[in-house]
Amino acid sequence: MEKEHVTLTQPDGTTLELPILEGSVGPKTFDVTSVYKKTGMFTFDPGFMATASCRSAITFIDGEKGILRYRGYPIEQLAEQSSFLEVAYLLLYSELPSAEQLTEFEYIIGHHTMINESLQMFYRGFRYDAHPMATMVGVVGSLSAFYHDSLDIHDARHREISAHRLIAKMPTIAACSYKRHKGEPFIYPRNDLNYTANFMRMMFATPCEEFEPDPVAAKALDLLFILHADHEQNASTSTVRIAGSSGANPFACISAGIASLWGPAHGGANEAVLNMLDEIGDVSNVDKYIARAKDKSDPFRLMGFGHRVYKNNDPRATIIRKVCYDVLENMPTADSPLFELALKLEEIALKDEYFISHKLYPNVDFYSGIIYRALNIPMNMFTVMFAIARTAGWVAHWMEMIGDPDHRIARPRQLYLGAAERAYVPLDKRG
Ligand code: SDX
């Protein structure tokens, strides 16, 4: 059957047939790789609003229907029945593990959780009040100075070891970033604890007393890690892919991903939501802030609302909102007035014509901070939580890209608006 194509007609009437590429699910694409060679023109799509940057089999999103699937499994089912490490295995290896494979994977990850002792010196170089995301960017990027035995990115086994090390060490590095900020001693990981409980103990235990993670809290955090594990070609994942496309080592690529995630338009939004709710303070102020969010002359945006892809509900926000109820019911420290305020803000915003016409719904970041706060995680660690979870997705995309024999360095072009050619003017001749 003849391949489907779209036809491009140029001003002089000549036409160009662009082949249509079809995936397994979701929108088709038409291949523009030949456009510059055949027309002398570039395509123009700042922000990649309508551009498929790669082929991938990891995560599928349907923004109109509010669908999110990891390797075909709906996020709702994974949230209900899986664990973060099982999801990390699924993202890395494409299939759900057998009981034996999961046990082995949990053992491997558990036995990579320690970090080189000399890395502890790095933390001392940061001001005590450095934002933990700044520490994460620095320390994760420095890991390549320690693991010379697994930096050959063309060796599949090296790629796998680096992926395991990154997934395993992110909680340890994150907890050390928190302890540095608090001025408390670092707590070593323990191999008898599962991934999330181990992290919570490294965060909240001290040499003076043990810390028993509350099972409700550990389960809520594990669920949040599942929901944040991957999300197609978002800004930070695209950053990891672009960094990796030059052949940079995986630790440098993940450090770049952490830096991109930190932005308030992206993963930094969960911290920004809590700052916003704290600033709004009371339901009586909600209308004022919604008016500000609608005012084009005001840079204020309703943090935790809107999404490049979801023009309906973000399925993760729906799940997290439910978890908020459970956490608030079962954890005395939970801040229910804050949750009430968030629910009221959502209710009012979703009735407002501006939010309806702009298809602005709560996203994954709108409620997550309420749960983190209930788990006594400080606000400046909220995006660090996101980074721990998203490392599983980042390394899966990095492995998928490097493992693709057709991958090449990412190097976009531009629409140039600068000066045309002009001659240099010697200093003494300038006006
Ligand atoms: C994440 O991509 C991913 O998958 C990301 C993520 C993941 O898992 O990796 O899902 C995680 O980053 C979630 C998003 C977290 N960010 C926030 O909550 C910050 C607040 N939201 C926005 O800044 C914004 O909605 C974005 C960045 C999320 C999306 O921006 P887009 O797609 O570039 O849309 P836009 O900025 O062009 O906005 C479209 C219109 C504009 O109005 P007009 O100029 O067309 O009239 O909607 C308005 C915007 O002004 N708008 C908002 C708004 N978000 C968009 N107005 C008020 N409040 C908002 N939150």
Side-chain angles (χ1 to χ4, degrees), residues 277-401:
L277 291 174
D278 285 344
E279 189 184 330
I280 294 175
D282 181 84
V283 176
S284 59
N285 296 325
V286 164
D287 290 338
K288 181 175 74 174
Y289 280 87
I290 286 188
R292 282 190 57 196
K294 291 156 57 175
D295 176 356
K296 290 293 167 227
S297 64
D298 187 333
F300 174 80
R301 286 196 163 180
L302 218 48
M303 302 315 282
F305 273 79
H307 198 278
R308 170 60 60 76
V309 176
Y310 291 125
K311 298 308 173 191
N312 204 316
N313 68 313
D314 179 335
R316 302 166 298 177
T318 308
I319 296 169
I320 292 178
R321 189 194 299 119
K322 279 190 215 124
V323 175
C324 277
Y325 283 105
D326 302 342
V327 166
L328 292 168
E329 255 170 50
N330 296 289
M331 295 192 68
T333 57
D335 185 343
S336 42
L338 192 72
F339 183 46
E340 295 307 319
L341 176 59
L343 285 171
K344 199 68 189 157
L345 178 59
E346 179 190 14
E347 181 195 327
I348 296 171
L350 294 187
K351 285 183 187 144
D352 184 286
E353 183 39 43
Y354 175 91
F355 287 84
I356 295 167
S357 61
H358 284 79
K359 299 179 179 288
L360 300 175
Y361 294 86
N363 58 49
V364 66
D365 293 303
F366 186 61
Y367 287 106
S368 54
I370 293 168
I371 298 178
Y372 291 142
R373 184 175 265 185
L375 306 184
N376 292 318
I377 292 168
M379 259 199 294
N380 64 10
M381 286 290 288
F382 287 2
T383 309
V384 175
M385 298 301 108
F386 200 146
I388 291 172
R390 188 54 56 89
T391 295
W394 287 332
V395 294
H397 281 273
W398 174 76
M399 285 175 81
E400 181 180 66
M401 178 197 63

Side-chain angles (χ1 to χ4, degrees), residues 113-144:
T113 47
M114 277 210 294
I115 56 176
N116 189 298
E117 279 293 284
S118 49
L119 258 178
Q120 296 198 10
M121 310 291 195
F122 280 68
Y123 289 89
R124 295 200 184 100
F126 290 94
R127 263 178 64 108
Y128 73 92
D129 58 355
H131 192 290
M133 283 295 277
T135 316
M136 295 295 290
V137 170
V139 174
V140 171
S142 72
L143 290 176
S144 55

Side-chain angles (χ1 to χ4, degrees), residues 47-364:
F48 309 124
M49 304 282 280
T51 292
S53 61
C54 64
R55 293 184 176 85
S56 181
I58 298 173
T59 291
F60 175 73
I61 305 173
D62 181 319
E64 298 310 319
K65 296 181 188 140
I67 288 173
L68 167 57
R69 300 182 194 132
Y70 295 158
R71 299 285 188 187
Y73 295 99
I75 192 66
E76 294 80 3
Q77 295 178 28
L78 293 168
E80 187 69 33
Q81 305 174 60
S82 189
S83 68
F84 174 68
L85 276 193
E86 183 178 73
V87 162
Y89 182 99
L90 173 65
L91 292 170
L92 284 183
Y93 298 108
S94 313
E95 299 298 332
L96 287 170
S98 65
E100 190 185 342
Q101 287 169 326
L102 181 57
T103 304
E104 184 194 13
F105 185 68
E106 288 170 342
Y107 178 88
I108 291 169
I109 296 299
H111 286 72
H112 274 301
T113 47
M114 277 210 294
I115 56 176
N116 189 298
E117 279 293 284
S118 49
L119 258 178
Q120 296 198 10
M121 310 291 195
F122 280 68
Y123 289 89
R124 295 200 184 100
F126 290 94
R127 263 178 64 108
Y128 73 92
D129 58 355
H131 192 290
M133 283 295 277
T135 316
M136 295 295 290
V137 170
V139 174
V140 171
S142 72
L143 290 176
S144 55
F146 293 84
Y147 296 112
H148 302 120
D149 66 337
S150 63
L151 289 181
D152 176 359
I153 60 169
H154 302 294
D155 179 323
R157 180 62 188 129
H158 282 206
R159 296 200 293 269
E160 184 179 42
I161 299 172
S162 296
H164 291 167
R165 280 177 165 146
L166 280 157
I167 291 171
K169 296 180 193 306
M170 281 295 277
T172 310
I173 293 168
C176 288
S177 303
Y178 172 66
K179 288 302 198 186
R180 169 67 185 153
H181 196 79
K182 285 209 60 169
E184 289 180 1
F186 296 155
I187 298 295
Y188 287 89
R190 278 216 335 235
N191 294 345
D192 61 329
L193 294 175
N194 70 33
Y195 190 83
T196 312
N198 207 359
F199 167 66
M200 295 179 80
R201 182 180 168 276
M202 288 190 281
M203 282 276 288
F204 300 120
T206 70
C208 320
E209 61 181 23
E210 254 312 323
F211 172 81
E212 281 304 317
D214 176 319
V216 171
K219 177 146 179 47
L221 188 57
D222 199 74
L223 170 55
L224 286 173
F225 283 164
I226 290 173
L227 297 175
H228 287 81
D230 194 49
H231 213 240
E232 200 213 58
Q233 305 308 324
N234 58 86
S236 53
T237 299
S238 298
T239 301
V240 170
R241 280 180 171 262
I242 289 181
S245 73
S246 72
N249 73 71
F251 306 102
C253 296
I254 299 306
S255 173
I258 295 170
S260 171
L261 184 75
W262 193 3
H266 189 14
N270 53 21
E271 179 178 351
V273 166
L274 263 290
N275 284 322
M276 176 186 74
L277 291 174
D278 285 344
E279 189 184 330
I280 294 175
D282 181 84
V283 176
S284 59
N285 296 325
V286 164
D287 290 338
K288 181 175 74 174
Y289 280 87
I290 286 188
R292 282 190 57 196
K294 291 156 57 175
D295 176 356
K296 290 293 167 227
S297 64
D298 187 333
F300 174 80
R301 286 196 163 180
L302 218 48
M303 302 315 282
F305 273 79
H307 198 278
R308 170 60 60 76
V309 176
Y310 291 125
K311 298 308 173 191
N312 204 316
N313 68 313
D314 179 335
R316 302 166 298 177
T318 308
I319 296 169
I320 292 178
R321 189 194 299 119
K322 279 190 215 124
V323 175
C324 277
Y325 283 105
D326 302 342
V327 166
L328 292 168
E329 255 170 50
N330 296 289
M331 295 192 68
T333 57
D335 185 343
S336 42
L338 192 72
F339 183 46
E340 295 307 319
L341 176 59
L343 285 171
K344 199 68 189 157
L345 178 59
E346 179 190 14
E347 181 195 327
I348 296 171
L350 294 187
K351 285 183 187 144
D352 184 286
E353 183 39 43
Y354 175 91
F355 287 84
I356 295 167
S357 61
H358 284 79
K359 299 179 179 288
L360 300 175
Y361 294 86
N363 58 49
V364 66

